[in-house]
Amino acid sequence: MIIRGDEPDQVRLIRKLYKPGNYFMQGNEAVAYGAIFAGCRFYAGYPITPSSEIAETMARELPKLGGYYLQMEDEIGSIAAMIGASWTGFKVMTATAGPGFSLMQENLGYAVMTETPLVLVDVQRSGPSTGQATKGAQGDFFQARWGTHGDHPIIAVSPTSGQDAFWETIRAFNIAEKLRTPVVVLFDGVLAHTREQIRIPDIEEVEIAYRKLPENEEEAKLPFGDPHGDGVPPMPLFGHGYFTHVTGSTHKETGLRDVYTPEVHDRLVRRIHRKIEKNMDVYEKYEEHFTEDAEILVVSWGVTARPALGAVLKTRREGINVGLFVPKTVHPFPAERMRELAKRARAVLVAEMNLGQMIIEVERYVNDDVLLKGVNKIGGVPLTVEEILREIRGVA
Amino acid sequence: MANRIYSTYPMVKYLRKEALPTALCPGCGGGTVLNAFANAIDQLKLDPRDLVVVSGIGCSAWIASPYFLADTLHTTHGRAIAFATGVKVGLPDKKVVVISGDGDLASIGGNHLLHAARRNIDMTVILVNNFIYGMTGGQVAPTTPFGAKTTTSPYRNIEHPLQISETVAAAGASYVARWTTAHVYQLIESIKKALQVKGFSLVEVISQCPVQYGRRNRMKEPAEMLRWFLKNSVPVSKAKNMSPEELEGKFIIGEIINRQRPEFTEELNKLIDEVQEHFGLKGE
Ligand SMILES: Cc1ncc(C[n+]2csc(CCOP(=O)(O)OP(=O)(O)O)c2C)c(N)n1
Ligand code: SF4
């Protein structure tokens, strides 16, 4: 069995096509190149602003690498095609924005239930509905977490710059492969369209993970078992004579459907949760600035983390003990660290480009005696350093 | 029951024994479709290891998965063809087959059906048309005949049924045929042809659902439904000379289209070759 994109020739192709060095490019292009470096050789998508340049870059670059770009008839078809392709051994990605993300939710749940590795980039845009179609936002925090139905875990990462988007996309692929699960990249329209200097590394600098394949016939016969005790079943790929049965209905370790036995459902869904909970080291990631002595803690994510850092740097110079906490994996939330930091703080400010979403998650880890306040802005224009700075001064 | 299947049914080698007996109602046309498909595979001497069978949601979807012993992908309602598209691009040398219902493939999944036909991607779709949503309890479908009764058209159906085969042929498929479960041998031959065609092929099978459709339309017995199919079937050649009024309520059977067109995965791989050649990226 082979994971496509893992062929020895791929290193030669990448070296030939993408010389290490600094380039001036859009965040969306950085996402596409990150995917290519991570080994993505199958992309299925449907155009939507502000994500379209990801599709355009993949359409241009993938054929050079022997990879496949498919423009499907809609977003539902896009995620469906990538799940099909993932079962043949491809590392797969799609990119979309708000409305498209909504359409993908049912099959995102299917990917969770069937433990199919895939990367779904949601370039968040202003909503609800078509809202301000071309403007950025951070309004899909909960859509990523709770958009599909049922009890399910989800992993979502969120880059804070174009450069970060390159690396976070690679990390998303690695998490998806290691844990056999879909991973959402919560990007945003502002960074997606911002051009900045982005360094493309040598392929040797990139850690690349591949999904676990069955070691023998026995493991292949249990595509939803747990032979290694880590909750992650080896994935028997289609086309290798294992007669693998995959269904989004509740299934036993063999893959066969059993929707009548409560224990079977309980065992399956709890293992899928446990696999994520137990492997926190694979995905937990956050950044901290000046948190050692922070009395005021700013929490921010994605695009807003940058002006937030600017504001923290400025107020630090004024002698205010302020720190910044930036979850890079936003789901599951870095709860433990958040709780520790909140314990020492007098005030916690949550800055985001919405009317208050991550703050609902943060609130769960902050005691009542701490002042908790949102710094929010909508309308398609990101928060500025000054706007966040003003709020910090307000609670100082 | 299951024991009798194992000892006397020669096609059992193509079935997942652990999943038997099937959940289909006695007398359901789904059994005939499964049988015809297994016989087609057998007659073509295809190795089931070279097959990937994909289905959506519905009674008819179960024919393929879990009952057929191959790599099987049981997907979300309506999306089987889109899933199968990804499978085919990943495994262009395998036979990719979609077996599902009319509601699944032509209603909620109608868009994928049209576009797969347009792309002419190499897969075989066996669409089981029982005029109704069987699994969810017999609601009106886009294939329900004008005037028929269902649980959600209790007085009569006032919508016109979709002519699936003709629509898919117009969309660009390479091969389209329609039969009923009363035409088993012809059906097997068409499935064999469809499997061998390079391009998108559709075999529409008009099939009986005595439980949800027949019961509400004065055909409680499976045999009554089969007689209805036989009595109202018109071969394509004859239908050509009939007026729309004469064809109202008739089932046009036979090959609707059989032609060659560039196939999607071949074109995709050709394009990749050209691009790699153009940029001097071919391996040394
Ligand atoms: C998104 C979604 N909508 C609705 C359903 C409910 N549903 C399950 S099967 C089905 C109809 C199946 O009809 P058809 O494809 O004709 O198959 P049959 O059962 O008649 O063989 C519906 C509506 C679903 N599973 N998913
Ligand atoms: S409800 Fe109809 S289609 Fe479904 S199994 Fe029964 S007879 Fe067949």
Side-chain angles (χ1 to χ4, degrees):
Chain A
M1 279 192 252
I2 186 146
I3 305 296
R4 310 284 283 272
D6 190 21
E7 297 88 342
D9 202 39
Q10 287 294 328
V11 173
R12 177 188 68 87
L13 286 174
I14 294 230
R15 283 239 168 85
K16 190 160 178 176
L17 285 165
Y18 316 110
K19 300 267 176 279
N22 290 327
Y23 294 85
F24 191 59
M25 64 168 85
Q26 272 190 358
N28 273 342
E29 291 171 280
V31 168
Y33 288 115
I36 285 167
F37 272 64
C40 173
R41 294 297 174 270
F42 183 97
Y43 181 100
Y46 190 78
I48 183 168
T49 309
S51 77
S52 300
E53 294 84 1
I54 298 177
E56 287 162 10
T57 308
M58 294 305 260
R60 189 182 68 229
E61 299 302 321
L62 278 179
K64 299 181 190 168
L65 296 147
Y68 298 88
Y69 171 86
L70 263 67
Q71 188 157 310
M72 294 298 287
E73 47 276 6
D74 57 28
E75 286 84 353
I76 302 173
S78 304
I79 181 166
M82 73 198 257
I83 295 172
S86 187
W87 276 93
T88 72
F90 273 116
K91 288 191 179 184
V92 298
M93 182 172 88
T94 192
T96 187
F101 192 29
S102 300
L103 289 180
M104 290 183 184
Q105 291 296 342
E106 186 196 15
N107 281 338
L108 182 60
Y110 181 91
V112 169
M113 192 63 155
T114 55
E115 300 175 75
T116 307
L118 62 85
V119 173
L120 194 173
V121 183
D122 171 29
V123 185
Q124 296 169 91
R125 66 183 225 181
S126 176
S129 190
T130 14
Q132 303 160 286
T134 59
K135 303 282 193 226
Q138 287 181 287
D140 301 350
F141 182 78
F142 285 116
Q143 188 182 192
R145 178 65 194 92
W146 298 114
T148 193
H149 60 285
D151 296 303
H152 63 85
I154 200 80
I155 296 176
V157 307
S158 189
T160 54
S161 69
Q163 180 72 68
D164 197 34
F166 176 86
W167 291 105
E168 284 297 292
T169 304
I170 294 171
R171 196 166 74 85
F173 271 97
N174 290 345
I175 298 168
E177 294 288 317
K178 285 182 189 164
L179 299 184
R180 225 187 108 177
T181 194
V183 174
V184 177
V185 178
L186 280 176
F187 203 33
D188 67 85
V190 180
L191 294 177
H193 283 166
T194 303
R195 284 182 185 277
E196 45 191 337
Q197 181 174 296
I198 286 162
R199 193 181 76 87
I200 296 295
D202 185 83
I203 184 77
E204 291 299 325
E205 293 174 49
V206 181
E207 182 218 324
I208 302 176
Y210 293 97
R211 69 195 69 168
K212 194 160 53 176
L213 299 173
E215 282 164 14
N216 47 49
E217 193 90 5
E218 231 161 276
E219 283 190 10
K221 291 284 173 210
L222 296 174
F224 303 93
D226 186 11
H228 304 262
D230 57 355
V232 188
M235 185 169 175
L237 304 176
F238 283 174
H240 297 272
Y242 290 123
F243 298 152
T244 304
H245 179 53
V246 180
T247 175
S249 299
T250 293
H251 44 272
K252 295 181 280 199
E253 286 72 5
T254 55
L256 270 193
R257 183 173 181 277
D258 178 348
V259 299
Y260 302 109
T261 317
E263 294 75 32
V264 170
H265 184 79
D266 188 278
R267 199 160 71 226
L268 171 66
V269 176
R270 280 187 202 274
R271 180 186 49 76
I272 291 176
H273 277 263
R274 199 174 59 238
K275 135 176 126 169
I276 306 301
E277 283 155 16
K278 263 181 75 170
N279 291 291
M280 206 204 275
D281 56 315
V282 173
Y283 57 81
E284 188 167 81
K285 190 178 173 190
Y286 46 79
E287 262 173 37
E288 294 183 29
H289 303 271
F290 313 107
T291 46
E292 320 77 41
D293 61 349
E295 290 166 22
I296 300 169
L297 184 71
V298 179
V299 182
S300 193
W301 63 292
V303 55
T304 315
R306 278 168 90 177
L309 179 59
V312 166
L313 285 169
K314 276 200 171 170
T315 34
R316 269 268 151 188
R317 266 180 244 133
E318 293 170 13
I320 300 172
N321 280 354
V322 57
L324 175 66
F325 182 61
V326 182
K328 298 302 283 288
T329 298
V330 296
H331 299 299
F333 198 74
E336 210 50 50
R337 189 60 188 150
M338 182 66 236
R339 203 173 278 127
E340 278 167 27
L341 293 174
K343 225 182 276 169
R344 284 187 257 142
R346 183 161 60 67
V348 175
L349 298 177
V350 183
E352 44 186 342
M353 249 179 112
N354 55 41
L355 289 181
Q357 297 198 10
M358 186 185 268
I359 193 172
I360 296 170
E361 181 71 29
V362 170
E363 191 176 9
R364 310 201 295 149
Y365 315 108
V366 177
N367 291 337
D368 284 351
D369 54 350
V370 175
L371 173 74
L372 177 67
K373 195 163 182 251
V375 183
N376 309 97
K377 186 171 175 181
I378 55 173
V381 185
L383 277 157
T384 62
V385 170
E386 280 64 37
E387 282 164 337
I388 300 172
L389 191 141
R390 209 179 306 137
E391 294 293 329
I392 298 172
R393 282 190 193 132
V395 296
Chain B
M1 177 70 187
N3 264 343
R4 223 172 68 211
I5 296 174
Y6 301 152
S7 52
T8 57
Y9 180 52
M11 294 299 128
V12 77
K13 60 186 174 201
Y14 296 110
L15 306 184
R16 261 195 191 94
K17 294 199 180 68
E18 324 82 88
L20 294 176
T22 76
L24 303 178
C25 308
C28 174
T32 308
V33 177
L34 177 56
N35 190 21
F37 179 61
N39 273 281
I41 298 296
D42 198 60
Q43 289 176 25
L44 288 176
K45 298 196 168 51
L46 287 179
D47 186 337
R49 277 176 293 217
D50 293 330
L51 275 178
V52 182
V53 190
V54 187
S55 71
I57 300 287
C59 301
S60 309
W62 284 2
I63 297 169
S65 53
Y67 301 123
F68 202 83
L69 185 61
D71 286 330
T72 42
L73 187 60
H74 184 225
T75 71
T76 44
H77 188 36
R79 315 302 169 195
I81 290 176
F83 278 78
T85 299
V87 172
K88 182 66 193 182
V89 171
L91 297 170
D93 299 330
K94 303 282 177 190
K95 298 256 183 234
V96 176
V97 180
V98 174
I99 306 181
S100 220
D102 53 296
D104 187 72
L105 292 166
S107 180
I108 186 168
N111 202 28
H112 307 303
L113 179 64
L114 288 184
H115 288 280
R118 171 181 67 82
R119 286 184 192 110
N120 199 29
I121 185 165
D122 183 30
M123 64 173 69
T124 296
V125 177
I126 301 177
L127 184 150
V128 184
N129 181 358
N130 56 13
F131 312 119
I132 199 126
Y133 288 161
M135 179 167 278
T136 39
Q139 295 84 10
V140 72
T143 46
T144 305
F146 190 81
K149 290 203 169 123
T150 73
T151 53
T152 49
S153 60
Y155 306 111
R156 66 185 168 87
N157 178 27
I158 54 157
E159 295 181 19
H160 301 281
L162 179 69
Q163 299 302 328
I164 295 170
S165 286
E166 287 75 5
T167 306
V168 171
S174 274
Y175 180 86
V176 176
R178 185 196 280 120
W179 296 104
T180 79
T181 44
H183 299 85
V184 181
Y185 292 99
Q186 296 94 321
L187 174 61
I188 294 172
E189 287 310 312
S190 268
I191 296 175
K192 280 160 67 182
K193 267 197 191 168
L195 284 166
Q196 288 167 297
V197 160
K198 186 88 203 160
F200 189 85
S201 54
L202 172 89
V203 180
E204 179 182 349
V205 193
I206 290 174
S207 174
Q208 74 276 20
C209 169
V211 174
Q212 300 293 7
Y213 188 84
R215 187 157 54 101
R216 294 192 178 85
N217 292 280
R218 282 181 273 130
M219 287 176 286
K220 222 164 55 201
E221 295 303 319
E224 289 175 72
M225 294 201 75
L226 292 176
R227 277 195 289 273
W228 174 46
F229 296 162
L230 283 174
K231 201 170 136 225
N232 290 287
S233 292
V234 179
V236 182
S237 51
K238 204 171 147 198
K240 281 202 180 92
N241 306 317
M242 290 167 70
S243 67
E245 292 73 36
E246 288 173 305
L247 283 171
E248 184 71 44
K250 299 277 188 267
F251 313 120
I252 301 173
I253 52 166
E255 274 179 16
I256 312 284
I257 213 149
N258 190 354
R259 64 181 161 199
Q260 285 194 326
R261 286 180 75 213
E263 189 272 331
F264 179 71
T265 55
E266 266 181 14
E267 292 300 311
L268 198 51
N269 283 300
K270 232 192 275 171
L271 179 88
I272 290 170
D273 266 357
E274 282 166 24
V275 171
Q276 290 197 318
E277 194 77 53
H278 173 81
F279 287 100
L281 296 166
K282 288 276 183 201
E284 35 269 350

